[in-house]
Structures are given as C-alpha cells and as structure tokens.
Amino acid sequence: MNALNPYCPELATVQEVIQETANIRTLRITLNDPGKMRRFAFQPGQVGQLSVFGVGESTFVINSPPTCKDYLQFSIMRVGEVTQRLHQLSAGDPLGVRAPLGNAFPVDAMAGKHILFIAGGIGMAPLRTLLLTLLGERERYGDITLIYGARSPHDLCYRYEFEDWKARGADLVLTVDQEFPGWTERVGFVPTVLSEESPSPHNRIAVVCGPPIMIKFVLFGLKELEFEDHQILTTLEKRMKCGIGICGRCNIGSRYVCVDGPVFNFDQLRHMVPDL
Ligand SMILES: Cc1cc2nc3c(=O)[nH]c(=O)nc-3n(C[C@H](O)[C@H](O)[C@H](O)COP(=O)(O)OP(=O)(O)OC[C@H]3O[C@@H](n4cnc5c(N)ncnc54)[C@H](O)[C@@H]3O)c2cc1C
Ligand code: FES
C-alpha cells in the first residue's frame, strides 16, 4: 500500500492471462517498482483493489500464495463494467493495485488440525491461496480435503493444477451439477456431496466459499455433522469502496468487511447477523 496516500494505487503490469472458464480469467501481475514487488508481503485471504484507469476499482482476493514472489495472481469473474474491462487486459497492459487489504485466514491456529475446504465456482479463488500455503508446509496439518463443485467441468477453475494438489497431499472430491460426457468424478450439488462424504468434525476446520445459496446449504450440512460455529470459516463479499475502514460502505452491523474481514468464522457472523 502507498504509505503516503492509501487511496493511490501502485502502478502494475499484466504479465500473463489465463482463461479459466468462459467468464473467469486469471491475471498474473507485477508491481512496476521492482523494490516494492520484492518487499510486497501479504497473508492468505487478503484482498486487493484492482483499478482500470478511467473506469473504476474493484475488490479481488490475492490468490497466489505469499511465498510466490514472481507475481500476484487474481482471478476475476466477469459481471459488470470493471470486471469486463479487466478481462480485456493482455500481457503488457497497465493497471493499478491497492493491496494488501483486510484480514487473513488464521493459518497458525489451523496447525495440527484436519482442514476441509468447500468451494463452489469462483469461490475457489480465496481458497487456492490458503490451500497452497498449507500444502507448502504439509506436515503441519492433518488431512487436507477439498470438495469443489461447479456447474460443469468447464466451470472449474485451476483444473490444470488438480494433479499437483493431489501429489502434494490434498484429497480432491470434484463434482459438477449434472452428468457431462467424459466426466468420471462426482455429480451433484456441493452440499449433497458434503453429506455423502460426512467428514467428522473432530479436530477439523471447514473453510467455505462460494455462492450464497451454496454457503447456506453447506452450513446446514456442517451443522448436521455437528461442526461448531467456531470451526467454520468463510470469506465475505460485500461491496467495498475505500477498503481501509473510512467510507463506511462495507459494514455489516458494527463490523467493516474491509478491515474486520473479509475472513470471519460463523460464531462472529451470527453475532453480526443474528438471523443467519
Ligand atoms: C472481499 C472481496 C473479495 C472478492 N474477491 C473476488 C475474486 O477473487 N474474484 C472475483 O471475480 N470477484 C471477487 N469479488 C467480487 C468483485 O469485487 C465484484 O464482482 C466486482 O466488484 C464487480 O465489479 P463490476 O464493476 O464488474 O460489476 P458491477 O457493475 O459493479 O456489478 C455487476 C453485478 O455484480 C454485483 N456485484 C458487484 N460487486 C459485488 C460483490 N462484491 N458482491 C456481490 N455482488 C456484487 C452487482 O450488484 C451487479 O449485479 C470480491 C469481492 C469482495 C468484497
Ligand atoms: S470499504 Fe470503506 S469502510 Fe470498508
């Protein structure tokens, strides 16, 4: 972040573009100042504001692991104007970045525990940085399981990395909503697959990210399996403006998603949203 003016983006350049799905692209970017790029530090779960000059700024999770010093990676689903313009960028194009913002996953508190990742669609982006971080210190954690679903095989992000994740010690349970020619993995919605898998809550943390309807039914499923609220983490999407706790745009109750979040456990969320 610019120490003198936190609203001022750092200049950055797109190095590589990866087409993940029909409407999701991954941008690998570097800060133009090599010293700032070298010193840039963040924790899994933190976000950045990407700006397209003359268009606007939007929030995206940094989904490369903090150990990656060559680039910062963001995966962007095209939904409106800023994301459409971000999708038009190619290698060599300029953009602005304000990062890192927000809190992070409690990586140290996860040590010694089994970790269950549950993701839907673009919800895999915030979990990728955490997954790669845990796999980088595999011996610190128990079982690492990922239940990841999307509408079709073509809607799963990072498909080209799945074999590497498995080789590094993650168990993957992949699912799509309907039968698809050539698909040999699971078929069914993520919450259904969760109840089929029935993981024990004993010494386990669940990290959930996906569309609100998926989160709602996954939460029911985890409660049926007797997970406690404090064992369930998620990362919230609430539209942000300043990203630094000043404008008041992103509040839920008395908490600001941009500084108190975006990572919360469900114990905290129930206090913020009593009818959750
Ligand atoms: C903490 C955080 C992390 C995020 N991480 C990612 C990420 O890694 N990848 C990614 O693709 N997106 C992510 N998002 C969502 C992303 O910020 C929005 O999709 C983006 O701002 C839309 O900008 P736009 O100008 O293209 O769309 P707009 O024209 O502003 O909006 C288009 C449509 O999307 C809806 N929308 C816009 N922003 C949000 C939002 N934050 N939550 C729910 N609905 C929204 C609008 O209501 C509208 O219907 C994140 C958001 C937050 C707050
Ligand atoms: S985005 Fe301004 S207070 Fe959170």
Side-chain angles (χ1 to χ4, degrees), residues 9-10 49-53 56-58 82 86 89 94-98:
E10 293 292 340
Q49 292 274 35
L50 297 185
S51 42
V52 183
F53 303 120
E57 200 179 36
S58 276
V82 173
L86 285 166
L89 298 179
L95 76 168
V97 54
R98 289 196 297 129

PDB file of all heavy atoms in Angstrom, residues 9-10 49-53 56-58 82 86 89 94-98:
ATOM      1  N   PRO A   9      -3.318   4.060  -6.086  1.00  0.00           N
ATOM      2  CA  PRO A   9      -2.879   2.713  -6.475  1.00  0.00           C
ATOM      3  C   PRO A   9      -1.416   2.685  -6.883  1.00  0.00           C
ATOM      4  O   PRO A   9      -0.873   3.676  -7.375  1.00  0.00           O
ATOM      5  CB  PRO A   9      -3.778   2.377  -7.666  1.00  0.00           C
ATOM      6  CG  PRO A   9      -4.370   3.643  -8.126  1.00  0.00           C
ATOM      7  CD  PRO A   9      -4.232   4.667  -7.048  1.00  0.00           C
ATOM      8  N   GLU A  10      -0.795   1.529  -6.673  1.00  0.00           N
ATOM      9  CA  GLU A  10       0.539   1.284  -7.221  1.00  0.00           C
ATOM     10  C   GLU A  10       0.370   0.925  -8.692  1.00  0.00           C
ATOM     11  O   GLU A  10      -0.572   0.205  -9.058  1.00  0.00           O
ATOM     12  CB  GLU A  10       1.197   0.089  -6.514  1.00  0.00           C
ATOM     13  CG  GLU A  10       1.523   0.302  -5.064  1.00  0.00           C
ATOM     14  CD  GLU A  10       2.630   1.328  -4.855  1.00  0.00           C
ATOM     15  OE1 GLU A  10       3.393   1.589  -5.806  1.00  0.00           O
ATOM     16  OE2 GLU A  10       2.700   1.868  -3.734  1.00  0.00           O
ATOM     17  N   GLN A  49      -7.471  -4.081  -4.324  1.00  0.00           N
ATOM     18  CA  GLN A  49      -8.362  -3.327  -5.205  1.00  0.00           C
ATOM     19  C   GLN A  49      -7.620  -3.157  -6.522  1.00  0.00           C
ATOM     20  O   GLN A  49      -6.545  -2.554  -6.556  1.00  0.00           O
ATOM     21  CB  GLN A  49      -8.652  -1.934  -4.611  1.00  0.00           C
ATOM     22  CG  GLN A  49      -9.476  -1.931  -3.345  1.00  0.00           C
ATOM     23  CD  GLN A  49     -10.977  -1.946  -3.634  1.00  0.00           C
ATOM     24  OE1 GLN A  49     -11.422  -2.559  -4.595  1.00  0.00           O
ATOM     25  NE2 GLN A  49     -11.747  -1.284  -2.794  1.00  0.00           N
ATOM     26  N   LEU A  50      -8.185  -3.703  -7.602  1.00  0.00           N
ATOM     27  CA  LEU A  50      -7.579  -3.531  -8.918  1.00  0.00           C
ATOM     28  C   LEU A  50      -8.292  -2.402  -9.634  1.00  0.00           C
ATOM     29  O   LEU A  50      -9.528  -2.342  -9.630  1.00  0.00           O
ATOM     30  CB  LEU A  50      -7.699  -4.812  -9.748  1.00  0.00           C
ATOM     31  CG  LEU A  50      -6.974  -6.063  -9.225  1.00  0.00           C
ATOM     32  CD1 LEU A  50      -7.097  -7.202 -10.232  1.00  0.00           C
ATOM     33  CD2 LEU A  50      -5.508  -5.763  -8.924  1.00  0.00           C
ATOM     34  N   SER A  51      -7.537  -1.514 -10.265  1.00  0.00           N
ATOM     35  CA  SER A  51      -8.192  -0.429 -10.986  1.00  0.00           C
ATOM     36  C   SER A  51      -7.818  -0.426 -12.455  1.00  0.00           C
ATOM     37  O   SER A  51      -6.668  -0.676 -12.822  1.00  0.00           O
ATOM     38  CB  SER A  51      -7.873   0.928 -10.357  1.00  0.00           C
ATOM     39  OG  SER A  51      -6.529   1.019  -9.988  1.00  0.00           O
ATOM     40  N   VAL A  52      -8.853  -0.170 -13.254  1.00  0.00           N
ATOM     41  CA  VAL A  52      -8.650   0.069 -14.680  1.00  0.00           C
ATOM     42  C   VAL A  52      -8.800   1.576 -14.838  1.00  0.00           C
ATOM     43  O   VAL A  52      -9.834   2.139 -14.470  1.00  0.00           O
ATOM     44  CB  VAL A  52      -9.722  -0.652 -15.527  1.00  0.00           C
ATOM     45  CG1 VAL A  52      -9.453  -0.439 -17.014  1.00  0.00           C
ATOM     46  CG2 VAL A  52      -9.757  -2.130 -15.195  1.00  0.00           C
ATOM     47  N   PHE A  53      -7.772   2.221 -15.341  1.00  0.00           N
ATOM     48  CA  PHE A  53      -7.762   3.682 -15.355  1.00  0.00           C
ATOM     49  C   PHE A  53      -8.915   4.225 -16.193  1.00  0.00           C
ATOM     50  O   PHE A  53      -9.173   3.766 -17.299  1.00  0.00           O
ATOM     51  CB  PHE A  53      -6.405   4.184 -15.855  1.00  0.00           C
ATOM     52  CG  PHE A  53      -5.292   3.644 -14.995  1.00  0.00           C
ATOM     53  CD1 PHE A  53      -4.291   2.855 -15.531  1.00  0.00           C
ATOM     54  CD2 PHE A  53      -5.290   3.872 -13.623  1.00  0.00           C
ATOM     55  CE1 PHE A  53      -3.286   2.334 -14.727  1.00  0.00           C
ATOM     56  CE2 PHE A  53      -4.296   3.352 -12.804  1.00  0.00           C
ATOM     57  CZ  PHE A  53      -3.294   2.583 -13.362  1.00  0.00           C
ATOM     58  N   GLY A  56     -12.693   2.311 -13.155  1.00  0.00           N
ATOM     59  CA  GLY A  56     -13.044   2.104 -11.748  1.00  0.00           C
ATOM     60  C   GLY A  56     -12.173   1.067 -11.092  1.00  0.00           C
ATOM     61  O   GLY A  56     -11.222   0.554 -11.698  1.00  0.00           O
ATOM     62  N   GLU A  57     -12.553   0.785  -9.858  1.00  0.00           N
ATOM     63  CA  GLU A  57     -11.757  -0.076  -8.992  1.00  0.00           C
ATOM     64  C   GLU A  57     -12.671  -1.165  -8.430  1.00  0.00           C
ATOM     65  O   GLU A  57     -13.814  -0.890  -8.093  1.00  0.00           O
ATOM     66  CB  GLU A  57     -11.239   0.811  -7.854  1.00  0.00           C
ATOM     67  CG  GLU A  57     -10.066   0.301  -7.110  1.00  0.00           C
ATOM     68  CD  GLU A  57      -9.604   1.259  -6.007  1.00  0.00           C
ATOM     69  OE1 GLU A  57     -10.464   1.899  -5.370  1.00  0.00           O
ATOM     70  OE2 GLU A  57      -8.396   1.325  -5.767  1.00  0.00           O
ATOM     71  N   SER A  58     -12.186  -2.385  -8.305  1.00  0.00           N
ATOM     72  CA  SER A  58     -12.983  -3.468  -7.713  1.00  0.00           C
ATOM     73  C   SER A  58     -12.091  -4.366  -6.875  1.00  0.00           C
ATOM     74  O   SER A  58     -10.884  -4.430  -7.094  1.00  0.00           O
ATOM     75  CB  SER A  58     -13.647  -4.320  -8.796  1.00  0.00           C
ATOM     76  OG  SER A  58     -14.841  -3.738  -9.210  1.00  0.00           O
ATOM     77  N   VAL A  82     -16.262  -2.958 -14.504  1.00  0.00           N
ATOM     78  CA  VAL A  82     -14.833  -3.058 -14.178  1.00  0.00           C
ATOM     79  C   VAL A  82     -14.298  -4.441 -14.548  1.00  0.00           C
ATOM     80  O   VAL A  82     -13.221  -4.566 -15.154  1.00  0.00           O
ATOM     81  CB  VAL A  82     -14.589  -2.758 -12.678  1.00  0.00           C
ATOM     82  CG1 VAL A  82     -13.138  -3.026 -12.307  1.00  0.00           C
ATOM     83  CG2 VAL A  82     -14.962  -1.318 -12.350  1.00  0.00           C
ATOM     84  N   LEU A  86     -11.325  -5.474 -17.052  1.00  0.00           N
ATOM     85  CA  LEU A  86     -10.169  -6.271 -16.609  1.00  0.00           C
ATOM     86  C   LEU A  86      -9.984  -7.473 -17.526  1.00  0.00           C
ATOM     87  O   LEU A  86      -8.864  -7.904 -17.801  1.00  0.00           O
ATOM     88  CB  LEU A  86     -10.356  -6.721 -15.153  1.00  0.00           C
ATOM     89  CG  LEU A  86     -10.134  -5.618 -14.098  1.00  0.00           C
ATOM     90  CD1 LEU A  86     -10.672  -6.050 -12.731  1.00  0.00           C
ATOM     91  CD2 LEU A  86      -8.653  -5.251 -13.975  1.00  0.00           C
ATOM     92  N   LEU A  89      -7.773  -6.873 -20.617  1.00  0.00           N
ATOM     93  CA  LEU A  89      -6.335  -6.623 -20.490  1.00  0.00           C
ATOM     94  C   LEU A  89      -5.529  -7.819 -20.999  1.00  0.00           C
ATOM     95  O   LEU A  89      -5.940  -8.965 -20.844  1.00  0.00           O
ATOM     96  CB  LEU A  89      -5.964  -6.360 -19.026  1.00  0.00           C
ATOM     97  CG  LEU A  89      -6.596  -5.132 -18.361  1.00  0.00           C
ATOM     98  CD1 LEU A  89      -6.133  -5.033 -16.908  1.00  0.00           C
ATOM     99  CD2 LEU A  89      -6.264  -3.852 -19.113  1.00  0.00           C
ATOM    100  N   PRO A  94      -1.173  -1.892 -18.509  1.00  0.00           N
ATOM    101  CA  PRO A  94      -1.060  -1.345 -17.156  1.00  0.00           C
ATOM    102  C   PRO A  94      -2.365  -1.467 -16.379  1.00  0.00           C
ATOM    103  O   PRO A  94      -3.450  -1.539 -16.973  1.00  0.00           O
ATOM    104  CB  PRO A  94      -0.753   0.134 -17.422  1.00  0.00           C
ATOM    105  CG  PRO A  94      -1.437   0.417 -18.725  1.00  0.00           C
ATOM    106  CD  PRO A  94      -1.438  -0.862 -19.517  1.00  0.00           C
ATOM    107  N   LEU A  95      -2.259  -1.502 -15.077  1.00  0.00           N
ATOM    108  CA  LEU A  95      -3.419  -1.404 -14.193  1.00  0.00           C
ATOM    109  C   LEU A  95      -2.921  -0.872 -12.850  1.00  0.00           C
ATOM    110  O   LEU A  95      -1.707  -0.706 -12.655  1.00  0.00           O
ATOM    111  CB  LEU A  95      -4.158  -2.744 -14.043  1.00  0.00           C
ATOM    112  CG  LEU A  95      -3.559  -3.838 -13.165  1.00  0.00           C
ATOM    113  CD1 LEU A  95      -4.611  -4.928 -12.930  1.00  0.00           C
ATOM    114  CD2 LEU A  95      -2.351  -4.469 -13.790  1.00  0.00           C
ATOM    115  N   GLY A  96      -3.862  -0.561 -11.960  1.00  0.00           N
ATOM    116  CA  GLY A  96      -3.486  -0.088 -10.630  1.00  0.00           C
ATOM    117  C   GLY A  96      -3.848  -1.135  -9.595  1.00  0.00           C
ATOM    118  O   GLY A  96      -4.780  -1.922  -9.797  1.00  0.00           O
ATOM    119  N   VAL A  97      -3.097  -1.149  -8.488  1.00  0.00           N
ATOM    120  CA  VAL A  97      -3.423  -2.108  -7.418  1.00  0.00           C
ATOM    121  C   VAL A  97      -3.183  -1.464  -6.054  1.00  0.00           C
ATOM    122  O   VAL A  97      -2.162  -0.809  -5.848  1.00  0.00           O
ATOM    123  CB  VAL A  97      -2.644  -3.439  -7.593  1.00  0.00           C
ATOM    124  CG1 VAL A  97      -1.155  -3.227  -7.699  1.00  0.00           C
ATOM    125  CG2 VAL A  97      -2.926  -4.410  -6.464  1.00  0.00           C
ATOM    126  N   ARG A  98      -4.193  -1.594  -5.189  1.00  0.00           N
ATOM    127  CA  ARG A  98      -4.039  -1.204  -3.778  1.00  0.00           C
ATOM    128  C   ARG A  98      -4.148  -2.484  -2.963  1.00  0.00           C
ATOM    129  O   ARG A  98      -5.204  -3.125  -2.937  1.00  0.00           O
ATOM    130  CB  ARG A  98      -5.141  -0.226  -3.362  1.00  0.00           C
ATOM    131  CG  ARG A  98      -4.995   1.141  -3.981  1.00  0.00           C
ATOM    132  CD  ARG A  98      -5.854   2.171  -3.274  1.00  0.00           C
ATOM    133  NE  ARG A  98      -7.278   1.920  -3.358  1.00  0.00           N
ATOM    134  CZ  ARG A  98      -8.102   1.903  -2.317  1.00  0.00           C
ATOM    135  NH1 ARG A  98      -7.644   2.101  -1.104  1.00  0.00           N
ATOM    136  NH2 ARG A  98      -9.399   1.686  -2.494  1.00  0.00           N
TER     137      ARG A  98
END
